[in-house]
Amino acid sequence: MGNKDQLQLGDHLFNSRLLVGTGKYENHDIMKKSIEASSTEMVTMALRRVDLKNPRENVLNFIPKNMTLLPNTSGARNAEEAIRIAKIARAAGCGDFVKIEVISDQKYLLPDNYETLKATKTLAAEGFYVLPYMSPDLMAAKEMEKAGAKAVMPLGSPIGSNRGIENKGLIKILINEIKVPIIVDAGIGKPSHAAEAMELGAKAVLVNTAIAASKDPIEMARAFDYAVKAGRLAYLSKFGEVKAQGDASSPLTGFLRKEQ
Amino acid sequence: MGNKDQLQLGDHLFNSRLLVGTGKYENHDIMKKSIEASSTEMVTMALRRVDLKNPRENVLNFIPKNMTLLPNTSGARNAEEAIRIAKIARAAGCGDFVKIEVISDQKYLLPDNYETLKATKTLAAEGFYVLPYMSPDLMAAKEMEKAGAKAVMPLGSPIGSNRGIENKGLIKILINEIKVPIIVDAGIGKPSHAAEAMELGAKAVLVNTAIAASKDPIEMARAFDYAVKAGRLAYLSKFGEVKAQGDASSPLTGFLRKEQ
Amino acid sequence: MGNKDQLQLGDHLFNSRLLVGTGKYENHDIMKKSIEASSTEMVTMALRRVDLKNPRENVLNFIPKNMTLLPNTSGARNAEEAIRIAKIARAAGCGDFVKIEVISDQKYLLPDNYETLKATKTLAAEGFYVLPYMSPDLMAAKEMEKAGAKAVMPLGSPIGSNRGIENKGLIKILINEIKVPIIVDAGIGKPSHAAEAMELGAKAVLVNTAIAASKDPIEMARAFDYAVKAGRLAYLSKFGEVKAQGDASSPLTGFLRKEQ
Amino acid sequence: MGNKDQLQLGDHLFNSRLLVGTGKYENHDIMKKSIEASSTEMVTMALRRVDLKNPRENVLNFIPKNMTLLPNTSGARNAEEAIRIAKIARAAGCGDFVKIEVISDQKYLLPDNYETLKATKTLAAEGFYVLPYMSPDLMAAKEMEKAGAKAVMPLGSPIGSNRGIENKGLIKILINEIKVPIIVDAGIGKPSHAAEAMELGAKAVLVNTAIAASKDPIEMARAFDYAVKAGRLAYLSKFGEVKAQGDASSPLTGFLRKEQ
């Protein structure tokens, strides 16, 4: 694979295809070590957790220096709020990337594709590198791409549910039809889920809860790093056929008869 | 994880929990490089492929020297034939390990648990390190363990089918109830399947077709190495809960309101 | 269950919870007999198949007289076209019901939720009984309900794919959160899929391809009738627990010991 | 379908393909009504529940008169005990049918295929109509058939777990390869599971817990009756193809253009 297989988001290149979050960790120190163990190069955090007036508690101090920041608009309930958060983040020096999260439903925390699209249009036009988080829907994804999104982030299953890639059929269609990278976000609860997303052809995955809520987040971060690499390598190497019947690895030849 | 998490089979210790096969490769050279790329330490081969009279073509010459050999009894249709093959293998210097494969059904290539148990009893009593390949069945697995098997190898789905861990429920029961290691064998078609087996608590997996039949077996071998490590690390690190609803990684606080 | 468990769409009541289509049948006669065998009370047909100038070929002549018609806007690529078709259908005497289908993607035939919502708003305001066909998305479904839809019809998997209820998680959320009936449409390939949708709590299902493309559509229509009734009855009767372990139906008591 | 599609077990013919149990009901009266609602013609009961000395409490008094009895050997931990129970049942006038259940594992209640086979051999030779309950394993099923079993009853998932047909792959192989009827037993928790078993080609299903543990067992019994009929009719009518992409029921023709 070597250094040629990189994730491209706009004009940025990344060696790691695992994006991680910063929520739900027991403390900032475990968070920092988990981020390092994951080999990630892009870390998302809710802007509200960036306490600009209290640098001691500022989550940014615990994110390794070489990371690309992906501030998210968690807390936004409509496009307008998302746009406002994105601008505060850029002004605060978090860079040009932004993950749009617009959630009006507080029970399942499902994204609002329509408001997300509106925010994507505005922010992309203002030079942001926009990564919209969305319900997997082909038409909405096409609109996001047309609006200038640098990637599209469909949910595998509801945030924090750890149920895996439930919407496989819809996500595979996005992978087939959308030209910007598909990054599976939300619902990935196990390394096997991350590997499966990559085997399907996702260009990256974002994992937070599954790492942070593990008994050993640092080792779990390492597990996800391996799983994403496994899935990506397998996707590039291509699979053999799935067969209805068995097919012997070591077929019967006349061995026993010959030896007699 | 370090050097303490090792696979133990009898009194042997292994750092890698991926066992690989030698069938179906395009040529011996690709096989050798794939074995190396997999980081495996145990390689299975059908004894009939060990051409004792023609050393040039002997598959053993292409298996890296530091490997533990796991000759299998592929081709055996009953206990007696399996026992005979095992003894030829040991006499030929392949060591004490043997994977018992007794297959009378030539369509689905499903193992015969009863004949396999008979061969396991005899060979374990003669000092072999026996690894029986079997249909996932708790009672039969208990008998194999009692007979002295060093591990039990249930099939995930029919050999070469690449359909993954179809018999999850039955395999999980073996993992819970059998004390010797459970090694999932057959049917593993993708790295995500291997990771899933390890996450369930299997102690190792055996993969052949999925690597050998890939367009790029060497890279696919590497992918499986990563996947097995991912699944094992995750199993040891323990998972958070699976939830019915969403659960925010970055919950809404008064952020937007405060900033106004 | 009796006559109290009826499907309500607006002010109409239906005893059958199976809606069927009229496409893909070998001929009109088999279609008619299949509709009758299904016990359905509501039949959908593409308006383009209603040849108003050639009464002989008019599909309407082959739909049993007691059926409620559900003209659909198949062929519409945006809200405007859907609205136009709906109005032609009503003017032609097809009644007030309309299923909105707006499909711009000709490969996967996935609905365009945004255009569908626009058509729903307009037509509901004009007194139509609107049933929008949609990608399963909670926010979009809430908007459809707010716009006056009499039911919401999420797809189980792509039209004609026969792959079943792939989007179970998202559909279950719609069932929990939307007050108008959820009718699962598209992708139902087997009676077990229809039963599963009903067991989840869908209020009805729409089936076309699975009946019409069967070798024996008339008997298959009867099979779906039974399956929908089975799933509905089961939903109303409520399920026992799903258990991780076994639980004996006939537990061991001292029987054998006593008899000795 | 008519009167030609009957389940044949030995020389007995049955119109219903749903077998039901008698355990776990709240009381005998609900049990009786549930049996009647199910349209079953064959009822299984643990012999230990047949209190021969206390006719009032005797479960047999609550089984409708026209039923074929299928006494089971629940409680047996080996072949010998199963044989003994079967003989007591026949002597007590329960008829020639017997379901062999040999369970030594008290945690998962999984059958012991080897002891079951021994009991099958003995009892079939003595003229019993033997239906062995088993772990799904092709070789063991072939042996049971050879021993004279009138049907083979693989488990879908552990007894009482309600998890459905987990072992689909193995059961489909039995359906393809075994000539006597395959009756799926254990684990069927919902009508959709029963329909699925029948669609796969099972000749019948046995359901107990899912009916008895429902909030409304009588209606649930009716639901299973419908589901089994649905699955059987569908199997006989044959399915259309499963497709990767969508396939329009009402394809776009020039309709809108023509009408302009």
Side-chain angles (χ1 to χ4, degrees):
Chain A
M1 195 157 73
N3 47 17
K4 273 171 211 153
D5 181 55
Q6 292 181 301
L7 170 66
Q8 183 164 3
L9 297 174
D11 50 5
H12 288 241
L13 294 171
F14 300 88
N15 291 306
S16 169
R17 291 169 180 277
L18 173 60
L19 285 65
V20 301
T22 54
K24 296 187 179 176
Y25 283 96
E26 214 183 302
N27 60 53
H28 282 352
D29 188 54
I30 289 177
M31 182 193 84
K32 182 167 191 277
K33 286 181 179 144
S34 298
I35 292 173
E36 286 165 352
S38 75
S39 298
T40 189
E41 294 169 353
M42 188 172 233
V43 175
T44 189
M45 74 280 169
L47 188 60
R48 60 149 198 89
R49 302 186 66 239
V50 182
D51 188 335
L52 304 165
K53 289 150 201 156
N54 184 354
R56 278 251 196 153
E57 283 309 302
N58 194 332
V59 71
L60 290 179
N61 294 339
F62 297 86
I63 297 177
K65 292 308 159 208
N66 53 336
M67 294 293 135
T68 297
L69 298 179
L70 177 63
N72 63 58
T73 66
S74 170
R77 295 155 305 176
N78 54 44
E80 197 183 68
E81 292 182 352
I83 291 164
R84 187 142 43 96
I85 297 175
K87 288 181 177 175
I88 295 170
R90 186 155 70 173
C94 292
D96 290 330
F97 278 98
V98 64
K99 174 182 158 190
I100 305 294
E101 251 186 81
V102 180
I103 291 176
S104 49
D105 148 61
Q106 293 308 315
K107 186 164 173 194
Y108 298 99
L109 301 167
L110 291 168
D112 185 320
N113 284 354
Y114 182 57
E115 291 292 317
T116 300
L117 175 58
K118 283 203 292 185
T120 299
K121 274 181 188 158
T122 300
L123 291 168
E126 298 192 18
F128 280 88
Y129 284 27
V130 184
L131 280 61
Y133 169 61
M134 69 175 304
S135 261
D137 178 78
L138 178 57
M139 297 309 132
K142 282 184 175 176
E143 291 298 318
M144 308 247 184
E145 182 173 38
K146 212 187 292 172
K150 297 292 189 230
V152 168
M153 305 182 86
L155 61 97
S157 48
I159 294 187
S161 73
N162 289 333
R163 293 208 311 253
I165 318 294
E166 287 189 342
N167 310 307
K168 222 166 294 188
L170 297 174
I171 287 176
K172 184 64 189 169
I173 290 173
L174 298 195
I175 288 169
N176 291 347
E177 301 301 316
I178 301 295
K179 279 175 215 81
V180 296
I182 300 301
I183 301 178
V184 177
D185 187 3
I188 292 180
K190 299 183 176 179
S192 58
H193 301 158
E196 189 186 17
M198 299 303 295
E199 289 164 1
L200 278 174
K203 288 286 196 298
V205 298
L206 192 156
V207 179
N208 184 4
T209 304
I211 294 173
S214 163
K215 290 273 186 300
D216 186 343
I218 300 167
E219 288 302 296
M220 191 59 95
R222 203 185 312 279
F224 273 98
D225 177 30
Y226 283 137
V228 170
K229 283 174 177 152
R232 178 64 183 172
L233 273 171
Y235 176 76
L236 294 174
S237 305
K238 297 199 172 61
F239 299 106
E241 245 179 299
V242 174
K243 282 167 196 162
Q245 295 187 12
D247 185 8
S249 297
S250 317
L252 175 66
T253 59
F255 168 66
L256 281 165
R257 271 54 66 192
K258 267 191 296 179
E259 296 293 319
Q260 283 166 354
Chain B
M1 197 154 77
N3 47 20
K4 273 169 210 152
D5 181 54
Q6 291 182 302
L7 170 66
Q8 182 163 4
L9 298 174
D11 50 6
H12 290 241
L13 292 171
F14 300 88
N15 291 306
S16 169
R17 292 170 180 277
L18 173 61
L19 284 64
V20 302
T22 53
K24 295 187 181 177
Y25 282 96
E26 214 183 302
N27 61 53
H28 282 352
D29 188 54
I30 290 177
M31 182 194 83
K32 183 167 190 278
K33 286 179 179 147
S34 300
I35 292 174
E36 287 165 351
S38 75
S39 298
T40 189
E41 295 170 352
M42 187 173 234
V43 175
T44 189
M45 74 281 168
L47 188 62
R48 59 145 198 92
R49 302 186 65 239
V50 182
D51 188 334
L52 306 164
K53 288 151 202 156
N54 184 354
R56 280 253 196 147
E57 283 310 303
N58 194 332
V59 71
L60 290 179
N61 295 338
F62 296 86
I63 297 177
K65 291 308 158 210
N66 53 336
M67 295 292 135
T68 297
L69 298 179
L70 177 63
N72 64 56
T73 65
S74 169
R77 293 156 305 178
N78 53 44
E80 196 183 69
E81 291 181 352
I83 292 164
R84 186 142 44 95
I85 296 175
K87 290 181 176 176
I88 294 170
R90 185 153 72 173
C94 292
D96 289 330
F97 278 98
V98 64
K99 174 181 158 191
I100 305 293
E101 250 185 81
V102 179
I103 291 176
S104 50
D105 149 59
Q106 294 308 313
K107 186 165 172 194
Y108 298 98
L109 301 166
L110 291 167
D112 185 320
N113 284 355
Y114 183 57
E115 291 292 317
T116 300
L117 175 59
K118 284 202 292 185
T120 299
K121 275 180 187 159
T122 301
L123 291 168
E126 297 193 18
F128 280 88
Y129 284 27
V130 184
L131 281 60
Y133 169 61
M134 69 176 304
S135 262
D137 178 80
L138 178 57
M139 298 308 132
K142 282 183 175 177
E143 291 298 318
M144 308 246 183
E145 183 173 38
K146 210 187 295 171
K150 296 293 189 232
V152 168
M153 306 180 87
L155 61 96
S157 50
I159 294 187
S161 73
N162 289 331
R163 293 208 310 253
I165 318 295
E166 287 189 340
N167 310 307
K168 222 164 294 187
L170 297 173
I171 287 175
K172 184 64 189 168
I173 290 172
L174 298 195
I175 288 169
N176 291 346
E177 301 301 316
I178 301 296
K179 278 177 215 79
V180 297
I182 301 300
I183 301 177
V184 176
D185 187 3
I188 292 179
K190 298 182 177 181
S192 58
H193 302 157
E196 189 186 16
M198 300 304 295
E199 289 164 0
L200 277 174
K203 289 287 196 297
V205 297
L206 192 156
V207 180
N208 184 2
T209 304
I211 295 174
S214 162
K215 291 275 185 300
D216 186 343
I218 298 167
E219 288 302 297
M220 190 59 95
R222 200 184 313 277
F224 274 97
D225 177 29
Y226 283 136
V228 169
K229 284 173 176 153
R232 178 63 183 172
L233 273 170
Y235 175 77
L236 294 175
S237 306
K238 294 196 173 62
F239 298 106
E241 242 180 302
V242 174
K243 282 167 194 160
Q245 294 186 13
D247 186 6
S249 297
S250 317
L252 175 66
T253 61
F255 167 66
L256 281 166
R257 268 57 63 193
K258 266 191 295 182
E259 296 292 322
Q260 283 167 355
Chain C
M1 194 156 76
N3 46 18
K4 272 170 212 153
D5 181 55
Q6 292 182 302
L7 170 66
Q8 184 164 2
L9 298 174
D11 50 6
H12 289 242
L13 293 171
F14 300 88
N15 292 306
S16 169
R17 292 170 180 277
L18 173 61
L19 285 64
V20 302
T22 54
K24 295 187 180 176
Y25 282 97
E26 214 183 302
N27 61 53
H28 283 351
D29 187 55
I30 290 177
M31 182 193 83
K32 183 167 191 278
K33 287 180 178 144
S34 300
I35 292 173
E36 287 165 352
S38 75
S39 298
T40 190
E41 294 168 354
M42 188 173 234
V43 176
T44 190
M45 75 280 169
L47 188 63
R48 59 146 200 91
R49 301 186 65 237
V50 182
D51 189 334
L52 305 165
K53 289 151 201 155
N54 184 353
R56 280 251 195 150
E57 283 308 302
N58 194 332
V59 71
L60 290 179
N61 295 338
F62 296 87
I63 297 178
K65 291 309 157 208
N66 52 337
M67 294 292 136
T68 297
L69 297 180
L70 177 63
N72 63 56
T73 65
S74 170
R77 293 155 306 177
N78 53 46
E80 196 184 69
E81 292 182 351
I83 292 165
R84 187 141 43 97
I85 296 175
K87 290 182 177 176
I88 295 170
R90 186 154 72 172
C94 292
D96 288 330
F97 278 98
V98 63
K99 174 182 158 191
I100 305 293
E101 250 186 80
V102 180
I103 291 176
S104 49
D105 149 60
Q106 295 308 315
K107 185 165 172 193
Y108 298 99
L109 300 167
L110 291 167
D112 185 320
N113 283 355
Y114 183 58
E115 292 291 318
T116 299
L117 175 60
K118 284 201 292 184
T120 298
K121 275 180 188 159
T122 300
L123 292 168
E126 298 193 16
F128 280 88
Y129 284 27
V130 183
L131 281 60
Y133 169 60
M134 69 176 304
S135 261
D137 178 78
L138 178 57
M139 297 308 132
K142 281 183 175 176
E143 291 298 318
M144 308 245 183
E145 183 173 39
K146 210 186 296 172
K150 296 293 189 229
V152 167
M153 306 181 85
L155 62 96
S157 49
I159 295 186
S161 74
N162 289 331
R163 293 207 311 252
I165 318 295
E166 287 190 341
N167 310 307
K168 222 164 294 187
L170 297 174
I171 287 175
K172 184 65 189 168
I173 290 173
L174 298 195
I175 288 169
N176 290 348
E177 301 300 317
I178 301 296
K179 279 176 214 81
V180 297
I182 301 301
I183 302 178
V184 177
D185 187 5
I188 293 179
K190 298 183 178 180
S192 58
H193 302 158
E196 189 187 16
M198 299 305 294
E199 289 164 1
L200 277 174
K203 290 286 194 299
V205 298
L206 192 156
V207 179
N208 184 3
T209 305
I211 294 173
S214 162
K215 290 274 186 301
D216 186 342
I218 299 166
E219 288 303 296
M220 191 59 95
R222 201 185 312 278
F224 273 97
D225 178 29
Y226 283 135
V228 170
K229 284 174 176 152
R232 178 64 185 172
L233 274 170
Y235 175 76
L236 294 175
S237 306
K238 295 197 171 62
F239 298 105
E241 243 179 301
V242 174
K243 282 168 195 161
Q245 294 186 13
D247 185 9
S249 298
S250 317
L252 176 66
T253 60
F255 168 66
L256 280 165
R257 271 55 65 194
K258 268 191 296 182
E259 297 293 321
Q260 282 167 356
Chain D
M1 195 155 76
N3 47 18
K4 273 170 209 154
D5 181 55
Q6 291 181 302
L7 170 66
Q8 183 162 4
L9 298 174
D11 50 6
H12 289 241
L13 293 171
F14 301 88
N15 291 306
S16 169
R17 292 170 179 277
L18 173 61
L19 284 64
V20 301
T22 54
K24 296 188 180 177
Y25 282 95
E26 213 184 302
N27 60 53
H28 282 353
D29 187 54
I30 290 177
M31 182 194 84
K32 183 166 190 277
K33 286 180 179 147
S34 299
I35 292 174
E36 286 164 352
S38 76
S39 298
T40 189
E41 295 170 353
M42 188 172 233
V43 176
T44 189
M45 73 280 167
L47 189 60
R48 60 146 197 91
R49 302 186 65 239
V50 183
D51 188 335
L52 304 165
K53 288 151 202 155
N54 184 354
R56 280 252 196 147
E57 283 309 301
N58 194 332
V59 72
L60 290 179
N61 295 338
F62 297 85
I63 297 178
K65 291 309 157 208
N66 52 337
M67 294 292 135
T68 298
L69 298 179
L70 177 63
N72 63 57
T73 66
S74 171
R77 293 155 305 176
N78 53 45
E80 198 183 66
E81 292 181 351
I83 292 165
R84 187 142 43 94
I85 296 175
K87 289 181 177 175
I88 295 170
R90 184 153 74 174
C94 292
D96 289 331
F97 279 98
V98 64
K99 174 182 157 191
I100 305 294
E101 250 186 83
V102 180
I103 291 176
S104 50
D105 149 59
Q106 293 309 315
K107 185 164 172 195
Y108 298 99
L109 300 166
L110 291 168
D112 184 321
N113 284 353
Y114 183 57
E115 292 292 317
T116 300
L117 175 59
K118 283 202 292 185
T120 299
K121 275 182 187 158
T122 300
L123 291 168
E126 297 193 18
F128 280 88
Y129 285 27
V130 184
L131 280 60
Y133 169 60
M134 70 176 304
S135 262
D137 178 79
L138 179 57
M139 297 308 132
K142 282 183 175 176
E143 291 299 317
M144 308 248 183
E145 182 173 39
K146 211 187 292 173
K150 296 292 189 231
V152 168
M153 305 182 87
L155 61 97
S157 49
I159 294 188
S161 73
N162 289 331
R163 293 208 311 254
I165 318 295
E166 287 189 342
N167 310 307
K168 222 165 295 187
L170 297 174
I171 287 176
K172 184 63 188 169
I173 290 173
L174 298 195
I175 288 169
N176 291 347
E177 301 301 316
I178 300 297
K179 279 177 213 79
V180 297
I182 301 301
I183 301 178
V184 177
D185 187 3
I188 292 180
K190 299 183 176 180
S192 59
H193 302 158
E196 189 186 18
M198 299 304 294
E199 289 165 0
L200 277 175
K203 289 287 197 297
V205 299
L206 192 156
V207 179
N208 184 4
T209 303
I211 294 174
S214 163
K215 290 275 184 300
D216 187 343
I218 300 168
E219 289 301 297
M220 191 60 96
R222 201 185 314 278
F224 274 97
D225 178 29
Y226 284 137
V228 170
K229 284 173 176 152
R232 178 62 183 172
L233 273 170
Y235 176 77
L236 294 174
S237 305
K238 295 197 173 61
F239 299 106
E241 242 178 301
V242 174
K243 282 167 196 162
Q245 296 187 10
D247 186 6
S249 298
S250 317
L252 175 67
T253 60
F255 167 66
L256 281 166
R257 271 55 64 194
K258 266 191 296 181
E259 296 294 319
Q260 283 167 352

